[in-house]
Amino acid sequence: MRTNLDIRVVELLCSRLCHELVSPVGAINNGVELIEEMGSDMADEAIGLIAHSADQASRRLQLLRLAYGAAGETSGMADVVQAAEGYFAGTKHKLEWQPGRLGQGAPMPQGTGKVLLNLVILGEEALPHGGRITVEPGPGGDPVVIAAGRSAGLRPETLQALSGSADIDSLTPRTVHAYATGRFAEHYGMRASGEPDGPERFALRLNI
């Protein structure tokens, strides 16, 4: 199924990408300035800050390259899982991915890993206080991303964006990821949806 993205959506996605990278890149710049101002006395601390921030930027770029770029369409599930694990390393979100149980029998359709990666990013958004994100087969065998933690859930406007019912002009840098996720799913002949799944749990389902 061919899905076209409005120019406004592209602009908002670029804004979101810049937002994701401005923090670690800014920290790298701060580390360089610290060395310039304080000299060798602060060199070790500054180099540690630079190294940490550069690693964080690299891990975010790897994830976003697969989530938004063409590389995610053909990447194997192992690469997708590795990118997600790297992204969440050292954060308040714990990731459990059970790829061995997904796709048993018939191969998973093209683009499944890419869409799941986008749903995992939405799972992070559904856990403002941190928590656990689990990727596993649902009752019917289709993948489901479970976000479990305090106040788990997504705003109504985010769910509208995911479903495609939101007006393009109403999208924001905060909701554009959900919109793109839903359109990626449709592009590959799938459907993504989200709903509460019990106390402190929110499910993001991918119907293949």
Side-chain angles (χ1 to χ4, degrees):
M1 176 179 178
R2 181 65 61 182
T3 303
N4 295 319
L5 290 182
D6 187 277
I7 187 65
R8 173 172 168 78
V9 176
V10 176
E11 292 172 341
L12 290 172
L13 283 174
C14 289
S15 295
R16 184 178 177 105
L17 285 169
C18 292
H19 174 76
E20 288 287 336
L21 296 173
V22 69
S23 177
V25 172
I28 292 172
N29 185 60
N30 291 339
V32 173
E33 291 180 349
L34 191 61
I35 293 176
E36 292 175 344
E37 293 176 2
M38 306 298 294
S40 60
D41 292 341
M42 297 296 294
D44 289 344
E45 181 178 341
I47 290 173
L49 172 63
I50 292 171
H52 172 76
S53 300
D55 180 63
Q56 186 182 44
S58 176
R59 287 186 281 110
R60 289 189 181 185
L61 278 170
Q62 183 179 7
L63 177 97
L64 294 169
R65 181 178 73 91
L66 297 183
Y68 291 157
E73 180 175 301
T74 56
S75 294
M77 194 66 73
D79 292 334
V80 169
V81 175
Q82 183 179 31
E85 289 177 341
Y87 177 79
F88 287 111
T91 73
K92 61 184 179 180
H93 298 86
K94 303 300 180 184
L95 178 67
E96 289 185 3
W97 198 307
Q98 302 172 9
R101 295 175 56 193
L102 291 174
Q104 289 183 348
M108 300 293 279
Q110 185 180 37
T112 300
K114 178 186 180 78
V115 179
L116 280 176
L117 200 54
N118 280 279
L119 288 175
V120 165
I121 297 173
L122 267 185
E124 177 190 26
E125 185 177 330
L127 296 172
H129 305 290
R132 187 174 301 277
I133 300 171
T134 305
V135 184
E136 60 186 23
D142 285 347
V144 59
V145 177
I146 301 293
R150 181 160 62 96
S151 303
L154 291 173
R155 297 168 181 255
E157 58 267 30
T158 301
L159 291 175
Q160 289 176 351
L162 179 64
S163 70
S165 61
D167 186 84
I168 294 292
D169 291 335
S170 71
L171 295 176
T172 67
R174 184 183 181 90
T175 60
V176 70
H177 174 77
Y179 181 84
T181 299
R183 308 298 72 74
F184 281 139
E186 291 174 355
H187 176 74
Y188 296 112
M190 310 175 197
R191 185 175 70 87
S193 61
E195 61 183 1
D197 190 55
E200 308 295 315
R201 285 169 57 93
F202 193 83
L204 291 157
R205 306 186 188 281
L206 182 61
N207 298 113
I208 298 176

